[in-house]
Amino acid sequence: MKQAKECIKDTVCLYLKKDEFGDYRIPIVRQRPVFLIGAPGIGKTAIMEQIAQELSIALVSYSMTHHTRQSALGLPFIDHREYEGEQYDVSEYTMSEIIASIYEVMKKSGLKEGILFLDEINCVSETLAPSMLQFLQYKVFGRHKVPEGWVIVTAGNPPEYNKSVREFDVVTLDRLKIMEVEADYVTWKAYATEKGLHNAIVSYLDLKKEDFYHVETTVKGKSYITARGWEDLSQILQLYEEEGLFVDETLVRQYLRNERIVKEFTAYYDLYNKYKNDYQTEEILSGGPVDKAVEKARAAAFDERLSLLGMLLDKVQGEMRETMRLADCLREMRMPLKALSACEEREKLLQMLKAQREAREKLLHSMQAAGAISEAEQYKNKYMIRFLAEAEKEVRIGDVSDEAGAFALVKEKFGRDTAALKKQTERTGERLHALFAFAEKAFGEGNEMLILVTQLTVNDDSARFIASFGSKDYQRHNEELMLSERQSRFMEEIEELGL
C-alpha cells in the first residue's frame, strides 16, 4: 500500500505537469486511469485521501456499485433545434451526477485540479458496463467530459472477494495503469501510530500479525478481518473508555467477523486493562513509587513486558502529539499577530481580527469541500479561528485606557496560550523522564530499552518533541545503544551487497 501510494502520487504529479504553453505534457487521452486492485478494507480509499491532502488538490469519491446508467450518464431529454429554417428534435442528456459533483467541488473549493476516485469499478451494473470502456479511454460520461486537470483513479476487488465482479477484457485492461496491492501490517502500523489508534489493538497485532487481515469462507458464511475493521474498532473502544462503558465480545464482534480472533482479542483487551491496573501506569508516569511495578515487570514474561511498555509509550506519545499540535498552532499564529500589531486603533484592530477569522473560515470550508485537508491542518485552522474569535471578543469588551493598548489584549491572550504550552511541555518532559527511569530499573539495557528508544525515534510526534525540547535520557540511551552507528553500518552492508 505504501508503494502504491507513492506510485499513484507520482502519476498524479506527472499527469498534471504542463508545458510552456499551459498544456498538459501527457494528453488527456493518453492519461491512463490507475486501476488499484486489492482485497476489501485494506485502505485504498484512505491513501487517496492522503494523496489529495499532500498535493493540495481536490478529491471526489464514488462507489460505482451505487450507480445506474441514468445516474452515471445523465437523464435523457428532447432538445429542439433549428438549422437553415429546418426544425428538428434530438435526444440530449443531463450532466452525469459524477461530473456534476466535480464542478460542484471546484465551485466550492476554488481548486481546478483533483482526483476522481471511482471505487468498485469492476462491479458496475449490467446496463452501465458497455459505457465504461468509453469512459476509461476518453474520460467521458454520457455527453460530458471529466474536466481537464482531473486524474482518474479507480479501484476494485479481485473476483474471489466479490461475486458482483465483472472480469475486464483485454481491450479495457489495456487502457488502465494496473497496480495490485495487498494488506501489509508494518505499513499499517506506522499509519496506526500516526493516527493514534488504540494501543491495545497495536499491541495485540504486534504479537499476532497473522490476525491483521483475514478473509475466508466457512460453513457459517464469510469470515473476515480488515484494516478498516481494526480502525473502526479503535475509535469505538476509545469512546467506550471515555464513557466508562463495558467492552465485551458482542461489541468486538460488530467490527471483527471471525470468532477465534474476536475471542482472543477480547481476552487480550481484558488482560491489557488488568496490566494497566496492576502496574498502575499513571503512577509510574507521575514519578510515584515504582518498586512493586519494577519487581512485577522483572518477573513478567516478555509478552507482558511488551504490553506494559506499549501502554506507557502510548500515553507519553499521545501527550507529545497534543503538545506538538499546540506548538504548531502557536507557530502558525505568529504571522497573523505580526499583521495585527500594526493596528493602533481599536476599531481597525476589530476589523482586522474579523477579516482574518472570516478568511480562515473560508479557507477551511473550501479545503473541506475539496477533501484536501488533513486532520492536523483542520485542527490548526479551527484553533486559529477560535483564537481570533475569542481575541475579537476580548478587544471589544476589554478595558483599554488608550487606543494603542488594544493589541496588548491580543498579545496577552497569545501569551497565556504560550505559557500553557510551556507548562504542558514541562509536564510531558517529566513523564518521559519517569518512563525512562522505570525502564532503567525494570529492564536495564535489555531489548525493552532498545524498543523504547527505537519507538521514540521512528514516531513522528515523539521525534519532533525531542528535537524541539530535548531529552537527556533519550540522548544518553541513544548514544549507549549506538542506534545511529548501527543504522550507518546497516546501510554500508546493504550497499556492499548491491541491494
Side-chain angles (χ1 to χ4, degrees):
M1 289 301 295
K2 185 176 181 181
Q3 290 173 327
K5 175 187 170 182
E6 293 304 317
C7 190
I8 294 172
K9 188 175 177 181
D10 290 342
T11 298
V12 172
C13 290
L14 293 175
Y15 281 0
L16 297 180
K17 191 177 181 65
K18 296 179 179 179
D19 62 20
E20 58 184 310
F21 302 108
D23 297 321
Y24 290 102
R25 292 281 297 275
I26 301 178
I28 302 299
V29 72
R30 295 297 179 196
Q31 292 186 5
R32 286 192 175 201
V34 174
F35 181 37
L36 200 60
I37 185 166
I42 62 175
K44 296 187 290 292
T45 303
I47 65 169
M48 299 315 306
E49 293 171 350
Q50 294 168 25
I51 292 169
Q53 292 163 9
E54 291 171 15
L55 296 180
S56 297
I57 58 178
L59 174 67
V60 172
S61 299
Y62 268 95
S63 175
M64 294 306 293
T65 54
H66 301 155
H67 281 282
T68 63
R69 176 181 171 83
Q70 288 75 22
S71 63
L73 302 183
L75 295 171
F77 65 92
I78 303 300
D79 186 30
H80 184 74
R81 297 182 182 179
E82 179 181 343
Y83 178 72
E84 294 185 353
E86 188 72 25
Q87 297 188 4
Y88 58 97
D89 294 328
V90 297
S91 295
E92 278 290 354
Y93 285 85
T94 58
M95 182 174 284
S96 159
E97 178 187 322
I98 297 172
I99 304 298
S101 295
I102 296 176
Y103 282 106
E104 190 66 21
V105 166
M106 289 195 294
K107 179 181 177 181
K108 288 181 178 179
S109 68
L111 297 176
K112 303 300 182 185
E113 296 180 330
I115 297 170
L116 172 60
F117 179 58
L118 303 180
D119 199 6
E120 300 184 21
I121 192 76
N122 54 351
C123 295
V124 296
S125 64
E126 187 175 352
T127 56
L128 184 56
S131 303
M132 293 314 299
L133 180 59
Q134 179 190 29
F135 165 71
L136 293 173
Q137 182 172 6
Y138 299 108
K139 322 301 187 289
V140 173
F141 267 129
R143 299 286 184 90
H144 302 278
K145 286 187 175 183
V146 174
E148 285 192 349
W150 281 76
V151 177
I152 298 169
V153 180
T154 65
N157 304 138
E160 59 266 29
Y161 294 105
N162 194 328
K163 293 180 180 179
S164 302
V165 166
R166 296 174 179 277
E167 293 279 3
F168 285 154
D169 55 30
V170 175
V171 176
T172 303
L173 292 173
D174 194 39
R175 286 168 170 79
L176 296 170
K177 187 180 173 76
I178 302 171
M179 299 182 196
E180 296 183 12
V181 292
E182 58 186 22
D184 176 61
Y185 174 65
V186 174
T187 300
W188 184 83
K189 182 183 177 181
Y191 165 81
T193 304
E194 182 182 344
K195 295 276 287 187
L197 268 58
H198 200 293
N199 183 251
I201 290 175
V202 177
S203 297
Y204 173 81
L205 292 176
D206 276 341
L207 298 173
K208 297 199 171 186
K209 296 179 178 61
E210 67 276 10
D211 289 349
F212 169 57
Y213 194 91
H214 186 83
V215 178
E216 66 177 345
T217 301
T218 68
V219 293
K220 295 182 179 180
K222 288 287 186 183
S223 170
Y224 54 91
I225 303 291
T226 68
R228 183 192 298 122
W230 286 116
E231 184 168 1
D232 291 346
L233 176 61
S234 169
Q235 292 181 334
I236 202 69
L237 285 179
Q238 291 168 342
L239 290 175
Y240 260 60
E241 290 174 0
E242 286 180 17
E243 298 298 323
L245 300 176
F246 179 66
V247 174
D248 59 11
E249 288 184 11
T250 303
L251 175 69
V252 176
R253 192 175 290 111
Q254 296 167 19
Y255 299 88
L256 308 180
R257 304 298 297 170
N258 179 285
E259 280 304 308
R260 176 188 66 80
I261 296 176
V262 166
K263 290 181 181 299
E264 291 185 5
F265 173 75
T266 306
Y268 179 83
Y269 179 76
D270 292 340
L271 187 62
Y272 180 90
N273 286 318
K274 181 179 182 298
Y275 290 159
K276 188 183 294 186
N277 293 326
D278 289 351
Y279 283 99
Q280 294 293 305
T281 54
E282 185 57 38
E283 186 77 11
I284 292 173
L285 295 177
S286 298
V290 296
D291 291 344
K292 289 184 178 179
V294 167
E295 184 179 350
K296 185 175 177 60
R298 284 175 178 171
F302 187 64
D303 288 357
E304 185 173 329
R305 293 184 179 195
L306 280 184
S307 296
L308 172 61
L309 190 60
M311 278 184 253
L312 297 170
L313 259 172
D314 185 56
K315 290 179 73 71
V316 172
Q317 288 181 326
E319 292 167 11
M320 288 175 168
R321 187 181 306 114
E322 293 300 314
T323 302
M324 296 312 302
R325 191 159 67 167
L326 179 56
D328 290 340
C329 291
L330 292 174
R331 191 177 296 110
E332 188 81 6
M333 274 301 306
R334 289 176 181 174
M335 190 61 71
L337 284 174
K338 188 174 182 180
L340 291 168
S341 65
C343 300
E344 298 181 356
E345 299 178 2
R346 185 196 295 260
E347 288 305 315
K348 188 175 180 182
L349 180 59
L350 287 170
Q351 291 174 9
M352 180 72 80
L353 284 166
K354 181 181 179 182
Q356 286 193 358
R357 173 175 54 79
E358 290 177 345
R360 279 281 167 182
E361 289 173 341
K362 184 178 179 181
L363 174 64
L364 177 60
H365 292 156
S366 67
M367 297 302 284
Q368 285 175 332
I373 185 168
S374 65
E375 289 183 11
E377 286 299 313
Q378 284 196 67
Y379 182 89
K380 190 186 298 181
N381 278 277
K382 288 178 179 178
Y383 168 88
M384 295 181 72
I385 290 168
R386 184 182 65 188
F387 180 97
L388 293 166
E390 292 175 352
E392 185 180 351
K393 182 178 179 181
E394 290 188 19
V395 170
R396 192 177 299 280
I397 65 175
D399 182 17
V400 182
S401 57
D402 58 84
E403 296 292 339
F407 176 70
L409 295 173
V410 181
K411 189 175 180 180
E412 182 182 342
K413 175 173 175 52
F414 183 76
R416 291 197 300 270
D417 284 9
T418 303
L421 172 63
K422 184 178 180 182
K423 187 175 181 180
Q424 187 171 322
T425 301
E426 290 173 351
R427 179 178 181 274
T428 303
E430 290 169 357
R431 289 166 73 80
L432 177 61
H433 172 70
L435 171 55
F436 269 106
F438 171 78
E440 287 170 0
K441 291 181 179 179
F443 310 129
E445 293 299 323
N447 288 332
E448 295 86 356
M449 183 62 75
L450 176 62
I451 292 170
L452 171 59
V453 175
T454 302
Q455 289 300 317
L456 289 170
T457 303
V458 300
N459 179 269
D460 184 60
D461 295 307
S462 54
R464 290 178 62 213
F465 180 91
I466 293 171
S468 300
F469 306 110
S471 169
K472 292 180 180 179
D473 297 297
Y474 170 84
Q475 189 66 33
R476 175 164 51 84
H477 286 287
N478 187 41
E479 290 174 357
E480 289 173 357
L481 294 167
M482 298 184 295
L483 289 183
S484 57
E485 288 84 350
R486 291 185 187 187
Q487 185 179 34
S488 298
R489 189 176 73 251
F490 290 155
M491 293 304 296
E492 288 173 2
E493 290 176 3
I494 288 171
E495 288 178 5
E496 289 175 3
L497 292 171
L499 299 178

